[in-house]
Amino acid sequence: MHYYLDECGHTGDLISDKYDFNYSNQRLFALTAIGLTKYNHTLLSTFIGELKKKHKIQGDELKSKNLIPNNIEFVIELFTKLREIKAPIFIELVDKKFFTATNISTYQIDPGYFNPRDTWTKSDLAFDVVFKNKLAEDLTALEDTSFLERYIDCCLNPTEENLRISFANTKDSIFNNKDKFEHHELLIKCLDETLDDYRLLKEEEGDNAVLRFLPLPDKSKSGKLIWLLPHISSLSNIVFRLNKKYNKKISKIKLHHDTQIQLDSILHGNLSNLSKLKIVAPYVKGVDYSIHCMPTMTFEDSKKVIGIQIADVISGFVVRYTLDRLFNSKDIDERYHVAASLIEGILPSNKNPVGINYVMPIELVRDRATPNVQI
């Protein structure tokens, strides 16, 4: 089986000194993987050629920015065809602010250096995930973003002083908004205990101990440290979902990713390391973290591959539609709801891991429910 991947939303590092938590109007990131047999890939190539003539779409390459909002009928017809041929579609949709907050929650509440997860029960693991996710959701909802700014400062300049400032600011954000945090006393206690862990680690590791409380960075081709790339986690989770769908038999799956001049080596390196990871996690619907073999992945020019162009259209539509649903007050054309109902399908489940995985606060996902429309 061949899967074609493309993304929408700035793909770079979320850690910068700009303190822009609207992310240049690209708060959401989406990575789409659509599965097509060789027959369906050829069929869609012919179908899209005819569709372009019908809707008078110019240019050799199909791009979402050229279809949305001016050619939504084209999008509806394409999505209808994808449903007709039952093409499996995996989408990771990431709220970048929440994604950053989850890293703060993970590395400041209980990084696990003194409390190994492999000794935990499944219920303990599940509570830990829920507890940390709830903190990330509550932090994301705050209007004051100083806790994010200080965390970014620490990533860009990982010193003990900046680490302590970041922890102190997170504590202040929780204490000053304690009515918005269900377990604010426990959260503050956890932060204090993690700083004690840092003190003990510093005795063993010196200045390098600071890095234990920050996400593991990647290196660009120029040697620059890159701290947070939603592209990496999105690609990894799609592979875990494929691993679930195909019952661990994914060695014959080929991933065709659009060209990534700056990130190809990072994405390839992280993908190749997935089988080496021993992920200790509670039961999660729609994923299988135990990987015995790996799919292959190539980076290809999207102008020459219709499957990648389709993935681009899906990612672009899902991001723009969700931004309007969540963050913009303008009325949405009913045709967009129709298109969304065609592509969204169901949330990933154990029996059917396809669909959209929403990496965002639960309250936002609840507000995302697609209105009932007649198809």
Side-chain angles (χ1 to χ4, degrees):
M1 189 69 162
H2 295 259
Y3 275 85
Y4 300 87
L5 293 86
D6 205 351
E7 74 289 335
C8 180
H10 178 58
T11 60
D13 194 352
L14 299 188
I15 299 297
S16 71
D17 55 5
K18 296 179 181 179
Y19 302 146
D20 174 16
F21 301 110
N22 191 37
Y23 303 94
S24 301
N25 294 317
Q26 296 187 65
R27 179 165 168 174
L28 299 182
F29 170 85
L31 180 66
T32 295
I34 178 169
L36 298 171
T37 62
K38 289 184 178 180
Y39 173 82
N40 280 340
H41 194 266
T42 301
L43 180 150
L44 284 169
S45 181
T46 301
F47 175 77
I48 288 173
E50 295 170 351
L51 207 56
K52 288 170 72 174
K53 290 180 181 178
K54 176 181 176 180
H55 291 277
K56 300 179 180 179
I57 304 296
Q58 302 296 319
D60 295 331
E61 186 175 10
L62 199 63
K63 300 289 289 185
S64 62
K65 63 182 180 181
N66 297 330
L67 299 175
I68 307 166
N70 298 322
N71 290 286
I72 191 62
E73 296 294 342
F74 181 106
V75 175
I76 290 174
E77 290 189 55
L78 173 59
F79 289 179
T80 300
K81 189 67 174 180
L82 296 179
R83 172 171 284 196
E84 178 187 311
I85 66 173
K86 298 180 180 180
I89 299 172
F90 296 81
I91 304 170
E92 294 287 316
L93 184 59
V94 182
D95 174 6
K96 295 177 182 178
K97 187 178 180 183
F98 174 70
F99 183 73
T100 306
T102 59
N103 279 268
I104 293 176
S105 176
T106 298
Y107 289 98
Q108 291 191 354
I109 292 299
D110 182 12
Y113 298 117
F114 292 88
N115 203 359
R117 288 343 186 231
D118 55 5
T119 63
W120 288 21
T121 65
K122 289 185 177 180
S123 59
D124 289 336
L125 288 167
F127 175 80
D128 182 62
V129 170
V130 171
F131 183 66
K132 289 180 178 178
N133 278 352
K134 185 63 170 66
L135 171 59
E137 291 174 5
D138 293 341
L139 288 172
T140 303
L142 295 180
E143 292 185 10
D144 178 13
T145 58
S146 58
F147 69 96
L148 288 172
E149 295 172 11
R150 301 294 77 78
Y151 181 70
I152 286 172
D153 290 341
C154 191
C155 288
L156 294 175
N157 187 16
T159 64
E160 178 177 335
E161 179 182 7
N162 283 339
L163 181 70
R164 291 187 178 278
I165 289 173
S166 176
F167 269 80
N169 200 276
T170 302
K171 285 175 59 177
D172 288 344
S173 294
I174 294 171
F175 184 80
N176 294 335
N177 298 276
K178 55 187 177 183
D179 58 317
K180 299 178 181 178
F181 291 85
E182 185 177 354
H183 304 288
H184 69 274
E185 292 181 348
L186 177 58
L187 290 169
I188 290 174
K189 180 182 177 182
C190 288
L191 287 164
D192 287 336
E193 289 178 349
T194 304
L195 271 179
D196 286 339
D197 291 344
Y198 163 71
R199 179 178 53 80
L200 294 173
L201 277 172
K202 185 183 177 183
E203 293 176 1
E204 299 177 6
E205 302 180 7
D207 294 340
N208 288 333
V210 171
L211 300 177
R212 293 273 202 153
F213 301 86
L214 298 171
L216 185 67
D218 292 280
K219 274 191 178 182
S220 69
K221 293 179 179 178
S222 62
K224 177 186 175 182
L225 291 181
I226 299 177
W227 291 91
L228 290 180
L229 285 171
H231 206 141
I232 290 176
S233 60
S234 296
L235 177 60
S236 298
N237 211 51
I238 283 176
V239 173
F240 293 138
R241 292 166 69 186
L242 288 170
N243 197 44
K244 182 70 176 181
K245 178 175 175 60
Y246 294 99
N247 195 27
K248 303 182 189 295
K249 299 174 182 178
I250 56 175
S251 61
K252 293 183 179 180
I253 289 178
K254 186 170 183 179
L255 306 179
H256 305 260
H257 201 302
D258 72 307
T259 302
Q260 297 286 317
I261 296 175
Q262 297 299 325
L263 303 180
D264 54 357
S265 59
I266 292 176
L267 293 174
H268 222 297
N270 278 272
L271 184 64
S272 63
N273 287 328
L274 288 185
S275 60
K276 303 175 186 177
L277 297 179
K278 293 183 178 180
I279 298 177
V280 180
Y283 173 77
V284 180
K285 290 183 178 180
V287 298
D288 187 343
Y289 294 122
S290 178
I291 292 183
H292 298 156
C293 56
M294 292 299 298
T296 58
M297 182 169 67
T298 58
F299 293 93
E300 301 170 27
D301 186 352
S302 59
K303 294 184 180 67
K304 302 176 181 178
V305 185
I306 198 66
I308 294 177
Q309 295 174 38
I310 294 171
D312 172 87
V313 173
I314 296 172
S315 291
F317 172 82
V318 168
V319 163
R320 289 171 176 86
Y321 175 76
T322 309
L323 282 171
D324 285 343
R325 290 276 293 164
L326 295 185
F327 304 111
N328 298 331
S329 58
K330 67 179 182 180
D331 293 333
I332 299 176
D333 188 321
E334 183 69 12
R335 294 174 300 171
Y336 285 80
H337 298 316
V338 172
S341 67
L342 286 165
I343 203 64
E344 287 183 324
I346 61 173
L347 294 176
S349 68
N350 213 28
K351 292 183 179 179
N352 191 13
V354 301
I356 300 178
N357 180 41
Y358 294 92
V359 186
M360 58 180 63
I362 292 175
E363 290 302 319
L364 287 182
V365 176
R366 287 175 181 153
D367 292 341
R368 261 293 283 112
T370 306
N372 291 326
V373 292
Q374 296 298 320
I375 302 174

